[in-house]
Amino acid sequence: MWLFKKKKKEVQSDDKTTVSDKVAGKIAGVGIKVQQLFAENMNRIFMKTDFKRLKLILIVFSVCAGGYSIYLIVNSVFSPERKQKALEIQQMDIPKHFNKTGDETVMPEATIDEQTYLQIQDFRKYMDSLKLNRTNEYDSILQARPGLMDSVQVLEKIYLSQKQK
């Protein structure tokens, strides 16, 4: 197993390590110890056996495992009780909301009337005038509401797409 061993690096202690990370580390450590114990025991058992006997054990194991696999395949294809069900076509159950994103419930009807659009245009003009004349106020508004102008732009696109339909 020397081929697969990794070099140990210094592990820095991190106070931000969560409890679940610690538990996962301990479980992984126990798993590795079990694997090492199993490998050591198998090594002790087969250390004194000669090469011919090891070959024979490998061949017997391969024949048994391969034979069992072939039995399972043949049994699943040719068993009489499964033949009738093997070719039965059933309708698939599709979840009710499979192709829905969830936006339909948030905005069932994304329509904007002309009065709202005019208010949006007035607000955009106000923000543009702030941008030109009072940049400090404009910047403070955008810092308080970072996606405000993006939302205005989306609302305008929705209104314009309604007009095209």
Side-chain angles (χ1 to χ4, degrees), residues 75-93:
N75 190 27
S76 66
V77 172
F78 295 112
S79 69
E81 65 251 3
R82 293 188 185 169
K83 265 191 178 176
Q84 294 171 353
K85 292 183 182 180
L87 299 177
E88 184 178 329
I89 298 172
Q90 297 177 349
Q91 185 175 0
M92 219 169 89
D93 293 331

Side-chain angles (χ1 to χ4, degrees), residues 63-78:
V63 167
C64 290
Y68 185 64
S69 297
I70 291 171
Y71 165 74
L72 289 176
I73 292 170
V74 169
N75 190 27
S76 66
V77 172
F78 295 112

